[in-house]
Short mmCIF file of all heavy atoms in Angstrom, two decimals:
data_model
loop_
_atom_site.label_atom_id
_atom_site.label_comp_id
_atom_site.label_asym_id
_atom_site.label_seq_id
_atom_site.Cartn_x
_atom_site.Cartn_y
_atom_site.Cartn_z
N LYS Z 1 0.85 -1.19 0.00
CA LYS Z 1 0.00 0.00 0.00
C LYS Z 1 0.89 1.24 0.00
O LYS Z 1 1.83 1.33 0.80
CB LYS Z 1 -0.94 0.01 1.21
CG LYS Z 1 -2.15 0.91 1.02
CD LYS Z 1 -3.27 0.50 1.94
CE LYS Z 1 -4.60 1.10 1.51
NZ LYS Z 1 -5.70 0.65 2.35
N VAL Z 2 0.58 2.18 -0.89
CA VAL Z 2 1.38 3.39 -1.06
C VAL Z 2 0.50 4.61 -0.82
O VAL Z 2 -0.64 4.68 -1.31
CB VAL Z 2 1.99 3.44 -2.48
CG1 VAL Z 2 2.81 4.72 -2.66
CG2 VAL Z 2 2.84 2.21 -2.75
N HIS Z 3 1.04 5.57 -0.08
CA HIS Z 3 0.33 6.83 0.17
C HIS Z 3 1.22 8.00 -0.23
O HIS Z 3 2.35 8.13 0.24
CB HIS Z 3 -0.05 6.97 1.65
CG HIS Z 3 -0.77 8.24 1.97
ND1 HIS Z 3 -2.11 8.41 1.71
CD2 HIS Z 3 -0.33 9.41 2.51
CE1 HIS Z 3 -2.48 9.63 2.09
NE2 HIS Z 3 -1.41 10.26 2.57
N LEU Z 4 0.69 8.83 -1.12
CA LEU Z 4 1.38 10.05 -1.54
C LEU Z 4 0.72 11.22 -0.83
O LEU Z 4 -0.46 11.51 -1.04
CB LEU Z 4 1.26 10.23 -3.06
CG LEU Z 4 1.78 11.55 -3.64
CD1 LEU Z 4 3.27 11.70 -3.39
CD2 LEU Z 4 1.47 11.63 -5.13
N PHE Z 5 1.45 11.88 0.06
CA PHE Z 5 0.90 13.00 0.81
C PHE Z 5 0.61 14.17 -0.13
O PHE Z 5 1.30 14.37 -1.13
CB PHE Z 5 1.86 13.43 1.92
CG PHE Z 5 1.95 12.44 3.05
CD1 PHE Z 5 2.88 11.42 3.02
CD2 PHE Z 5 1.09 12.53 4.14
CE1 PHE Z 5 2.97 10.50 4.05
CE2 PHE Z 5 1.16 11.62 5.18
CZ PHE Z 5 2.11 10.60 5.14
N GLY Z 6 -0.43 14.91 0.22
CA GLY Z 6 -0.82 16.04 -0.59
C GLY Z 6 0.26 17.11 -0.66
O GLY Z 6 1.03 17.31 0.28
N ASN Z 7 0.33 17.79 -1.79
CA ASN Z 7 1.29 18.88 -2.00
C ASN Z 7 0.55 19.96 -2.79
O ASN Z 7 0.38 19.84 -4.00
CB ASN Z 7 2.51 18.36 -2.76
CG ASN Z 7 3.68 19.32 -2.73
OD1 ASN Z 7 3.52 20.53 -2.87
ND2 ASN Z 7 4.87 18.77 -2.55
N TYR Z 8 0.08 20.98 -2.09
CA TYR Z 8 -0.82 21.97 -2.70
C TYR Z 8 -0.27 22.47 -4.04
O TYR Z 8 0.91 22.80 -4.15
CB TYR Z 8 -1.01 23.16 -1.74
CG TYR Z 8 -2.00 24.17 -2.28
CD1 TYR Z 8 -3.36 23.97 -2.12
CD2 TYR Z 8 -1.54 25.29 -2.98
CE1 TYR Z 8 -4.27 24.89 -2.63
CE2 TYR Z 8 -2.44 26.21 -3.49
CZ TYR Z 8 -3.81 26.01 -3.33
OH TYR Z 8 -4.71 26.91 -3.84
N PRO Z 9 -1.16 22.48 -5.06
CA PRO Z 9 -2.60 22.21 -5.06
C PRO Z 9 -2.94 20.75 -5.36
O PRO Z 9 -4.09 20.42 -5.66
CB PRO Z 9 -3.10 23.10 -6.19
CG PRO Z 9 -1.98 23.07 -7.18
CD PRO Z 9 -0.71 23.02 -6.36
N LEU Z 10 -1.98 19.84 -5.29
CA LEU Z 10 -2.20 18.43 -5.61
C LEU Z 10 -2.72 17.69 -4.39
O LEU Z 10 -2.13 17.80 -3.31
CB LEU Z 10 -0.90 17.80 -6.10
CG LEU Z 10 -0.23 18.48 -7.31
CD1 LEU Z 10 1.09 17.81 -7.60
CD2 LEU Z 10 -1.15 18.45 -8.52
N PRO Z 11 -3.81 16.93 -4.54
CA PRO Z 11 -4.38 16.21 -3.39
C PRO Z 11 -3.57 14.97 -3.04
O PRO Z 11 -2.75 14.49 -3.84
CB PRO Z 11 -5.77 15.82 -3.89
CG PRO Z 11 -5.59 15.64 -5.36
CD PRO Z 11 -4.58 16.69 -5.78
N ALA Z 12 -3.81 14.45 -1.85
CA ALA Z 12 -3.21 13.17 -1.45
C ALA Z 12 -3.78 12.06 -2.33
O ALA Z 12 -4.93 12.10 -2.75
CB ALA Z 12 -3.51 12.90 0.02
N ARG Z 13 -2.93 11.07 -2.59
CA ARG Z 13 -3.37 9.93 -3.39
C ARG Z 13 -2.89 8.64 -2.75
O ARG Z 13 -1.91 8.63 -1.99
CB ARG Z 13 -2.82 10.03 -4.82
CG ARG Z 13 -3.46 11.13 -5.66
CD ARG Z 13 -2.92 11.11 -7.08
NE ARG Z 13 -1.53 11.53 -7.12
CZ ARG Z 13 -0.70 11.25 -8.12
NH1 ARG Z 13 -1.12 10.50 -9.13
NH2 ARG Z 13 0.55 11.67 -8.10
N GLY Z 14 -3.58 7.57 -3.07
CA GLY Z 14 -3.20 6.28 -2.52
C GLY Z 14 -3.42 5.17 -3.52
O GLY Z 14 -4.24 5.28 -4.44
N GLY Z 15 -2.68 4.10 -3.35
CA GLY Z 15 -2.82 2.93 -4.23
C GLY Z 15 -2.38 1.67 -3.51
O GLY Z 15 -1.67 1.73 -2.50
N SER Z 16 -2.80 0.54 -4.03
CA SER Z 16 -2.46 -0.73 -3.40
C SER Z 16 -2.43 -1.84 -4.44
O SER Z 16 -2.99 -1.70 -5.53
CB SER Z 16 -3.48 -1.08 -2.30
OG SER Z 16 -4.78 -1.20 -2.86
N CYS Z 17 -1.79 -2.94 -4.08
CA CYS Z 17 -1.81 -4.12 -4.94
C CYS Z 17 -1.50 -5.34 -4.09
O CYS Z 17 -0.84 -5.25 -3.05
CB CYS Z 17 -0.82 -4.00 -6.10
SG CYS Z 17 0.91 -3.92 -5.61
N GLY Z 18 -2.01 -6.48 -4.54
CA GLY Z 18 -1.74 -7.75 -3.88
C GLY Z 18 -1.08 -8.71 -4.85
O GLY Z 18 -1.42 -8.75 -6.03
N ILE Z 19 -0.11 -9.47 -4.35
CA ILE Z 19 0.64 -10.41 -5.18
C ILE Z 19 0.37 -11.82 -4.67
O ILE Z 19 0.57 -12.11 -3.50
CB ILE Z 19 2.15 -10.11 -5.13
CG1 ILE Z 19 2.42 -8.65 -5.54
CG2 ILE Z 19 2.92 -11.07 -6.04
CD1 ILE Z 19 3.86 -8.22 -5.30
N LEU Z 20 -0.11 -12.69 -5.55
CA LEU Z 20 -0.43 -14.06 -5.17
C LEU Z 20 0.85 -14.87 -4.97
O LEU Z 20 1.68 -14.95 -5.86
CB LEU Z 20 -1.30 -14.69 -6.26
CG LEU Z 20 -1.66 -16.17 -6.10
CD1 LEU Z 20 -2.46 -16.39 -4.81
CD2 LEU Z 20 -2.45 -16.66 -7.31
N PHE Z 21 0.99 -15.47 -3.79
CA PHE Z 21 2.14 -16.30 -3.49
C PHE Z 21 1.82 -17.76 -3.79
O PHE Z 21 0.81 -18.30 -3.35
CB PHE Z 21 2.53 -16.16 -2.01
CG PHE Z 21 3.54 -17.19 -1.56
CD1 PHE Z 21 4.82 -17.20 -2.09
CD2 PHE Z 21 3.20 -18.14 -0.62
CE1 PHE Z 21 5.75 -18.14 -1.68
CE2 PHE Z 21 4.12 -19.09 -0.19
CZ PHE Z 21 5.40 -19.08 -0.73
N VAL Z 22 2.70 -18.39 -4.57
CA VAL Z 22 2.57 -19.82 -4.87
C VAL Z 22 3.85 -20.50 -4.40
O VAL Z 22 4.95 -20.13 -4.83
CB VAL Z 22 2.37 -20.05 -6.39
CG1 VAL Z 22 2.21 -21.54 -6.66
CG2 VAL Z 22 1.14 -19.30 -6.89
N ASN Z 23 3.71 -21.46 -3.52
CA ASN Z 23 4.86 -22.08 -2.88
C ASN Z 23 5.52 -23.13 -3.79
O ASN Z 23 5.54 -24.32 -3.50
CB ASN Z 23 4.42 -22.72 -1.56
CG ASN Z 23 5.61 -23.10 -0.69
OD1 ASN Z 23 6.74 -22.65 -0.92
ND2 ASN Z 23 5.38 -23.95 0.29
N LEU Z 24 6.05 -22.63 -4.90
CA LEU Z 24 6.78 -23.47 -5.85
C LEU Z 24 8.05 -22.72 -6.25
O LEU Z 24 8.05 -21.49 -6.37
CB LEU Z 24 5.94 -23.76 -7.09
CG LEU Z 24 4.72 -24.67 -6.92
CD1 LEU Z 24 3.91 -24.72 -8.21
CD2 LEU Z 24 5.14 -26.07 -6.50
N PRO Z 25 9.16 -23.45 -6.51
CA PRO Z 25 10.43 -22.79 -6.86
C PRO Z 25 10.48 -22.37 -8.33
O PRO Z 25 11.43 -22.69 -9.05
CB PRO Z 25 11.46 -23.86 -6.53
CG PRO Z 25 10.74 -25.15 -6.78
CD PRO Z 25 9.32 -24.91 -6.35
N LEU Z 26 9.46 -21.66 -8.77
CA LEU Z 26 9.40 -21.16 -10.14
C LEU Z 26 9.14 -19.66 -10.11
O LEU Z 26 8.48 -19.16 -9.19
CB LEU Z 26 8.27 -21.85 -10.93
CG LEU Z 26 8.44 -23.33 -11.26
CD1 LEU Z 26 7.14 -23.87 -11.85
CD2 LEU Z 26 9.60 -23.54 -12.22
N PRO Z 27 9.63 -18.92 -11.11
CA PRO Z 27 9.31 -17.49 -11.17
C PRO Z 27 7.80 -17.28 -11.29
O PRO Z 27 7.10 -18.04 -11.99
CB PRO Z 27 10.05 -17.01 -12.41
CG PRO Z 27 11.12 -18.03 -12.65
CD PRO Z 27 10.55 -19.33 -12.18
N GLY Z 28 7.31 -16.25 -10.63
CA GLY Z 28 5.88 -15.98 -10.68
C GLY Z 28 5.37 -15.75 -12.08
O GLY Z 28 4.27 -16.19 -12.44
N ILE Z 29 6.16 -15.08 -12.92
CA ILE Z 29 5.70 -14.80 -14.28
C ILE Z 29 5.54 -16.09 -15.08
O ILE Z 29 4.65 -16.19 -15.94
CB ILE Z 29 6.68 -13.82 -14.98
CG1 ILE Z 29 6.08 -13.33 -16.29
CG2 ILE Z 29 8.04 -14.46 -15.20
CD1 ILE Z 29 6.87 -12.20 -16.92
N VAL Z 30 6.38 -17.08 -14.80
CA VAL Z 30 6.27 -18.37 -15.48
C VAL Z 30 5.00 -19.09 -15.04
O VAL Z 30 4.25 -19.63 -15.87
CB VAL Z 30 7.51 -19.24 -15.22
CG1 VAL Z 30 7.32 -20.66 -15.76
CG2 VAL Z 30 8.75 -18.59 -15.85
N MET Z 31 4.75 -19.12 -13.73
CA MET Z 31 3.55 -19.79 -13.23
C MET Z 31 2.28 -19.12 -13.72
O MET Z 31 1.31 -19.77 -14.10
CB MET Z 31 3.58 -19.83 -11.70
CG MET Z 31 4.66 -20.73 -11.14
SD MET Z 31 4.57 -20.93 -9.34
CE MET Z 31 5.17 -19.33 -8.79
N PHE Z 32 2.29 -17.79 -13.73
CA PHE Z 32 1.12 -17.07 -14.23
C PHE Z 32 0.90 -17.37 -15.72
O PHE Z 32 -0.23 -17.61 -16.15
CB PHE Z 32 1.27 -15.57 -14.02
CG PHE Z 32 0.12 -14.78 -14.56
CD1 PHE Z 32 -1.09 -14.74 -13.87
CD2 PHE Z 32 0.22 -14.09 -15.76
CE1 PHE Z 32 -2.17 -14.02 -14.36
CE2 PHE Z 32 -0.85 -13.37 -16.27
CZ PHE Z 32 -2.04 -13.33 -15.57
N GLY Z 33 1.99 -17.37 -16.48
CA GLY Z 33 1.87 -17.67 -17.91
C GLY Z 33 1.33 -19.07 -18.16
O GLY Z 33 0.50 -19.28 -19.05
N LEU Z 34 1.79 -20.05 -17.36
CA LEU Z 34 1.29 -21.42 -17.51
C LEU Z 34 -0.19 -21.51 -17.18
O LEU Z 34 -0.98 -22.15 -17.92
CB LEU Z 34 2.09 -22.36 -16.60
CG LEU Z 34 3.52 -22.67 -17.03
CD1 LEU Z 34 4.23 -23.49 -15.95
CD2 LEU Z 34 3.54 -23.43 -18.35
N CYS Z 35 -0.61 -20.88 -16.08
CA CYS Z 35 -2.02 -20.90 -15.70
C CYS Z 35 -2.89 -20.23 -16.78
O CYS Z 35 -3.96 -20.73 -17.14
CB CYS Z 35 -2.23 -20.19 -14.37
SG CYS Z 35 -1.56 -21.08 -12.95
N LEU Z 36 -2.41 -19.10 -17.28
CA LEU Z 36 -3.17 -18.39 -18.31
C LEU Z 36 -3.25 -19.22 -19.59
O LEU Z 36 -4.31 -19.29 -20.23
CB LEU Z 36 -2.50 -17.04 -18.59
CG LEU Z 36 -3.29 -16.07 -19.49
CD1 LEU Z 36 -4.63 -15.73 -18.87
CD2 LEU Z 36 -2.47 -14.81 -19.73
N ALA Z 37 -2.14 -19.87 -19.96
CA ALA Z 37 -2.14 -20.71 -21.16
C ALA Z 37 -3.10 -21.89 -21.02
O ALA Z 37 -3.82 -22.25 -21.96
CB ALA Z 37 -0.72 -21.20 -21.45
N LEU Z 38 -3.11 -22.51 -19.82
CA LEU Z 38 -4.03 -23.63 -19.58
C LEU Z 38 -5.49 -23.16 -19.66
O LEU Z 38 -6.34 -23.86 -20.24
CB LEU Z 38 -3.75 -24.25 -18.22
CG LEU Z 38 -2.47 -25.08 -18.10
CD1 LEU Z 38 -2.23 -25.48 -16.65
CD2 LEU Z 38 -2.53 -26.31 -18.99
N ALA Z 39 -5.76 -22.00 -19.08
CA ALA Z 39 -7.13 -21.49 -19.10
C ALA Z 39 -7.59 -21.16 -20.52
O ALA Z 39 -8.65 -21.62 -20.98
CB ALA Z 39 -7.24 -20.25 -18.21
N LEU Z 40 -6.79 -20.38 -21.22
CA LEU Z 40 -7.17 -19.98 -22.58
C LEU Z 40 -7.16 -21.17 -23.53
O LEU Z 40 -8.08 -21.32 -24.35
CB LEU Z 40 -6.21 -18.90 -23.09
CG LEU Z 40 -6.23 -17.56 -22.34
CD1 LEU Z 40 -5.20 -16.60 -22.93
CD2 LEU Z 40 -7.62 -16.95 -22.38
N GLY Z 41 -6.13 -22.02 -23.41
CA GLY Z 41 -6.06 -23.19 -24.27
C GLY Z 41 -7.23 -24.13 -24.06
O GLY Z 41 -7.81 -24.67 -25.02
N GLY Z 42 -7.61 -24.33 -22.79
CA GLY Z 42 -8.74 -25.20 -22.49
C GLY Z 42 -10.05 -24.65 -23.02
O GLY Z 42 -10.84 -25.37 -23.65
N MET Z 43 -10.30 -23.36 -22.80
CA MET Z 43 -11.57 -22.77 -23.24
C MET Z 43 -11.66 -22.71 -24.76
O MET Z 43 -12.67 -23.10 -25.35
CB MET Z 43 -11.75 -21.38 -22.64
CG MET Z 43 -12.02 -21.39 -21.14
SD MET Z 43 -12.50 -19.77 -20.47
CE MET Z 43 -10.96 -18.85 -20.69
N VAL Z 44 -10.59 -22.24 -25.41
CA VAL Z 44 -10.62 -22.14 -26.88
C VAL Z 44 -10.61 -23.52 -27.52
O VAL Z 44 -11.41 -23.81 -28.42
CB VAL Z 44 -9.42 -21.30 -27.38
CG1 VAL Z 44 -9.35 -21.33 -28.90
CG2 VAL Z 44 -9.54 -19.87 -26.90
N GLY Z 45 -9.72 -24.40 -27.04
CA GLY Z 45 -9.65 -25.75 -27.60
C GLY Z 45 -10.94 -26.52 -27.40
O GLY Z 45 -11.39 -27.25 -28.29
#
């Protein structure tokens, strides 16, 4: 979670994000790509 304090005339802003943890010794981008490929491949195929 990130908070940017206001700086007149700019208002305060905030943002957040969550990252899914998978307990496997693989890069997250690889696991996400595999899951996405399985989902799209299964539905389209």
Side-chain angles (χ1 to χ4, degrees):
K1 200 158 196 177
V2 179
H3 180 79
L4 173 63
F5 289 90
N7 194 318
Y8 184 82
L10 303 176
R13 289 183 291 160
S16 61
C17 65
I19 305 171
L20 176 61
F21 169 65
V22 181
N23 193 16
L24 291 174
L26 291 172
I29 190 171
V30 172
M31 292 187 286
F32 178 76
L34 287 173
C35 290
L36 189 60
L38 288 172
L40 296 178
M43 289 189 293
V44 173

